[in-house]
């Protein structure tokens, strides 16, 4: 009772608003109102053969499965969500979005039924200190909470803190990602199926570099799941 009164008092001065439409949230809603949650442009990748993401990466490196949770459109709901996650330190929103991804994975469990580890794309320690947390790891935690798949963090590492690549071309992004990641111990992923996690696919250069590093481990297989696919 006291907690409810206190929370109501706090919300008088700091109202909980939907991160997308800024509407006042009701008690049962978290971060997003129900309308915006339902309006997220979700993909159907896990029910499609040779889905859009798999076609995008075809021929670049061998993979088992690939999928994105939703489409990332400029000015759209997912862009606002990702902005909150990456630049507004909204860790709990990242966890929630990971849980939504995990529910989709569980619903289509045959695709990722033999995954051994979830591995988030890492941040450089300097970037991690600036941001406060790794959004890919937060997404991974949400996915792990729903699927029960273990997360392995600290083996795939970022050794070069390259600048933001938002305005770079695909070729420039590829150049800037070469040599920035490393693996501490390749034997950990020997004979394993890894689910590589990132927030948004744009050119795919970061995921490609990470996947190729994982595939350098003996008999390692790689699948990829992301929160968004830029279109």
């Amino acid at each position: 009772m006291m907690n409810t009164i206190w929370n109501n008092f706090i919300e008088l001065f700091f109202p909980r608003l939907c991160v997308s439409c800024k509407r006042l949230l009701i008690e049962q809603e978290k971060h997003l109102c129900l309308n915006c949650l339902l309006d997220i442009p979700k993909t159907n990748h896990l029910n499609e053969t040779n889905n859009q993401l798999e076609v995008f990466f075809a021929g670049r490196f061998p993979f088992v499965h690939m999928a994105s949770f939703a489409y990332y459109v400029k000015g759209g709901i997912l862009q606002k969500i990702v902005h909150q996650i990456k630049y507004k330190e909204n860790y709990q929103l990242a966890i929630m979005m990971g849980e939504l991804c995990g529910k989709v994975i569980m619903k289509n469990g045959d695709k990722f039924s033999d995954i051994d580890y979830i591995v988030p794309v890492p941040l450089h320690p300097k970037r991690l200190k600036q941001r406060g947390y790794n959004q890919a790891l937060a997404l991974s935690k949400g996915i792990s909470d729903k699927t029960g798949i273990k997360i392995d963090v600290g083996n795939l590492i970022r050794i070069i803190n390259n600048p933001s690549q938002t305005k770079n071309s695909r070729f420039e992004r590829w150049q800037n990602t070469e040599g920035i990641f490393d693996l501490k111990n390749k034997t950990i992923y020997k004979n394993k199926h890894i689910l590589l996690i990132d927030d948004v696919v744009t050119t795919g250069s970061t995921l490609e570099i990470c996947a190729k590093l994982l595939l350098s481990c003996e008999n390692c297989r790689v699948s990829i799941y992301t929160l968004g696919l830029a279109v």
Side-chain angles (χ1 to χ4, degrees), residues 166-210:
T166 304
K167 297 181 181 180
N168 290 347
S169 68
R170 176 173 174 175
F171 179 70
E172 288 170 331
R173 289 186 181 218
W174 171 260
Q175 285 183 313
N176 289 341
T177 52
E178 281 194 296
I180 71 171
F181 297 99
D182 198 9
L183 277 175
K184 287 184 176 180
N185 185 351
K186 290 190 174 184
T187 61
I188 292 176
Y189 299 148
K190 179 181 178 181
N191 299 321
K192 302 298 184 185
H193 185 184
I194 305 301
L195 182 59
L196 187 63
I197 302 295
D198 204 5
D199 50 6
V200 179
V201 183
T202 49
T203 64
S205 55
T206 296
L207 285 167
E208 182 173 353
I209 293 293
C210 289

Side-chain angles (χ1 to χ4, degrees), residues 138-150:
L139 291 168
S140 297
K141 286 180 177 178
I143 293 171
S144 178
D145 287 345
K146 293 300 179 182
T147 63
I149 304 170
K150 294 180 180 179

Side-chain angles (χ1 to χ4, degrees), residues 103-133:
K103 288 179 181 179
V104 173
I105 290 171
M106 286 298 291
K107 188 177 180 181
N108 302 274
D110 57 318
K111 294 283 186 178
F112 298 131
S113 60
D114 64 341
I115 295 292
D116 295 291
Y117 295 117
I118 293 171
V119 175
V121 170
L123 289 179
H124 188 273
K126 288 185 178 179
R127 184 73 62 84
L128 182 61
K129 186 176 181 180
Q130 292 170 349
R131 187 166 293 169
Y133 69 96

Side-chain angles (χ1 to χ4, degrees), residues 66-118:
M66 286 194 186
S68 292
F69 173 72
Y71 294 109
Y72 181 95
V73 182
K74 187 175 181 180
I77 294 174
L78 194 60
Q79 184 186 39
K80 295 172 184 177
I81 290 170
V82 171
H83 181 80
Q84 284 282 325
I85 290 172
K86 293 181 72 168
Y87 305 114
K88 299 298 183 180
E89 301 179 1
N90 199 332
Y91 177 79
Q92 292 302 323
L93 175 59
I95 295 290
M96 187 189 87
M97 296 308 297
E99 290 174 345
L100 292 177
C101 293
K103 288 179 181 179
V104 173
I105 290 171
M106 286 298 291
K107 188 177 180 181
N108 302 274
D110 57 318
K111 294 283 186 178
F112 298 131
S113 60
D114 64 341
I115 295 292
D116 295 291
Y117 295 117
I118 293 171

